[in-house]
Structures are given as C-alpha cells and as structure tokens.
Amino acid sequence: MARGGRGGGSRNPANQPREVQVSKKISWLLRHGADQEGLKLGKGGYVNVQDALNTKALQSLKITFAEVRDAVANNEKQRFSMIPVSILESDNPADYLIRANQGHSIKVDNEGLLAPITTEAGNVPETVVHGTDERAWNLIIKSGGLRPMGRNHIHFASGLPAGFKSLDSTPTSADAVPVISGMRKGSTILIYIDINAALAAGIKFFISENGVILTEGNEQGFLPYTFFKRVESRKKNGGVLMSDGKLPEGVTVDVEEWEKEVGQAKKGRGGGGRGGRGGGGRGGKARAANDSRDTTGNA
C-alpha cells in the first residue's frame, strides 16, 4: 500500500512549491471538502482517484494522476493511503482508491480507517502526547481540557519528533524512535496523557494507519485536564507546567471566558486563520475549511 506531502515554508499557497500545493489541496479535499465537491467517502474514508481528479478543487491546480501518486508516496507525515481496486497493475486513476489517514472534519466511516486502542488488544502506547503552543495552552486550561476544535478527533503522537527532547530522562524516553506524524514541528508545549486512566474512565482512543493517536474525548466532547500526566514547556527555562492532572496554582477553568475568547478570535479572523489546535483553538473550524492554507504541518 502506498502512503503519502512535504512541508512548505511560505504562508501564501501561490508561493509554495508545486508539490506542497498539490499535497495540501488533496488533503483539504479528502479531510474536509469531499461533501461540497460532491464526493462521498466510502468505507474507511476511500474515494475513487478519478472522481477526486474530476473535482473543481483538484482541477483548479490541474493536478495529474502522477502528482497524486507522488503526494501519496512522498508525504513525510504519511497523510494518504492509495490502494488498487484489483490486483492488476494499471496507470488508470479509476483503478485506484485514495484516502486521508486521519484529520477529518467531515463524517467518515471509521471502520477500516482507525483501529481501536484497548488493553485487550495490547496496543496501548506507552507515550501519548499532544503538541501545542503557549497561547493555545492558556486556552486549553481555561476550557478545561483538549477539544477537537472543528475536527472529528483530538490528535496525539506516540512520541516526539526528531530534535525534540522530553524532561523525562528515563532510558525508554531517551531511546525512543522519533515520530513523523501526530505533532506539529513548531510545538512548544508538550501535553502528556495518562491514556490508561482515560481508557479506564471509558474514553475511547484510536490509532490511524500513519500512527496518529486519536480520541473524540468524553461524552461532552473533550479530554479533561485531569488526564494530563505532565505538561512541559520546550522553551528555555520552561520546565514542567503541570503534573498528575492538577491545575497550576492560581489557575482556574472558565469555559464561558474561553468561549468568548475563541469567538472573538473567529470574528477577528473573519472565520479564517489557523484553528483546530487541540483545545487551544484559533477559530475551530477555520483551518478545517482549507488545508491548502495550512503551512504549519498539521498532524
């Protein structure tokens, strides 16, 4: 099975390399825009490649089948999967199905897309960590925990990207293989989750084909801070911000104030911007509206 995009530097899509524009446009279509483009996601989130190429979104860049194949094969975060309809080799895009492995904001059948994480299956990861930044962290605490913010799930990694270091200096963490999916490279706050406690509380977790850990949260749709095992700042002299699910001294949850701040952020950005950072939120649905504008390397 082929897998797939590469990051981009400029915030203006028109100034990004062609392959980045292609990858982001495909990502937007498969994660967020299928419905409005007249595509119906099938089992496991797959759609026919020819049908995808026929959409206005992909035709706007005149994307070719060869470019789709390249995006799938070379995406550094392995965002896409493409499979043949039959066992026969073919150069016809109608003979293939493609999907985004995670990150959807539109309804998708999780069967065949996400694998449940359970103690019975023996696939509970040792590390579950969410990456964010200072501004989002303040909003996360104010809201009472992590939220999907316009996506179907909250995203986590099973380790740290290359170049990241944890304050936990145990041999296991020091020897861990860097992850490539599940966390933004620019994350400065690391929120480690007590997944065993969360599972015991009835919160469901899943893992995608490209190794991203996902949850919809509790019945209220968020993952409470009480499951934050440790929160670290990667900035110089940042240290541990929180541990054992206990709020920092002097910090209180204020959901009404959080809703007000998120609402103001949406209004100030005209509904655009870079939303969807866990519970921090810069406009929630905003970034889900168009991945082609996301230059920060979404999980």
Side-chain angles (χ1 to χ4, degrees), residues 1-4 29-31 34-35 38-52 72 78-85 93 95-102 104 106-114 208-210:
M1 178 182 295
R3 289 180 175 177
L29 176 68
L30 299 178
R31 286 173 159 181
D35 290 345
L39 282 182
K40 180 176 175 57
L41 299 184
K43 185 176 180 180
Y46 282 105
V47 297
N48 186 273
V49 174
Q50 184 61 66
D51 291 341
V72 173
Q78 299 179 348
R79 286 194 177 106
F80 314 116
S81 291
M82 189 167 72
I83 59 174
V85 175
D95 292 333
Y96 294 86
L97 303 176
I98 189 172
R99 75 176 181 194
N101 286 325
Q102 35 74 218
H104 302 82
I106 54 178
K107 187 175 181 180
V108 59
D109 181 1
N110 286 339
E111 185 178 352
L113 175 65
L114 305 176
S208 67
E209 186 171 339
N210 59 334

Side-chain angles (χ1 to χ4, degrees), residues 35 38 75 85 110 114 121 124 128 132 134-135 146 187 192 202 213 225 228 230-231 239 254 256 260 275 290 299:
D35 290 345
N75 189 290
V85 175
N110 286 339
L114 305 176
V124 180
V128 177
T132 187
E134 283 76 10
R135 182 182 183 279
L146 286 164
S187 297
Y192 289 87
I213 300 166
Y225 68 83
F228 293 2
R230 188 176 70 259
V231 181
D254 189 338
E256 287 188 7
K260 186 185 300 183
N290 192 346

Side-chain angles (χ1 to χ4, degrees), residues 214-231:
L214 307 148
T215 183
E216 296 177 356
N218 59 16
E219 292 182 353
Q220 288 73 46
F222 73 105
L223 184 66
Y225 68 83
T226 50
F227 297 110
F228 293 2
K229 182 162 55 177
R230 188 176 70 259
V231 181

Side-chain angles (χ1 to χ4, degrees), residues 128-196:
V128 177
V129 56
H130 178 84
T132 187
D133 59 27
E134 283 76 10
R135 182 182 183 279
W137 165 241
N138 292 329
L139 289 171
I140 288 167
I141 287 299
K142 192 169 290 186
S143 77
L146 286 164
R147 299 170 185 265
M149 298 304 292
R151 298 293 177 104
N152 294 346
H153 301 91
I154 307 162
H155 293 195
F156 304 89
S158 58
L160 299 178
F164 279 49
K165 290 184 179 180
S166 173
L167 297 179
D168 177 9
S169 58
T170 61
T172 301
S173 63
D175 298 337
V177 177
V179 299
I180 60 173
S181 300
M183 185 182 298
R184 297 172 182 274
K185 294 178 180 178
S187 297
T188 54
I189 301 291
L190 306 177
I191 304 174
Y192 289 87
I193 303 301
D194 188 340
I195 187 172
N196 289 299

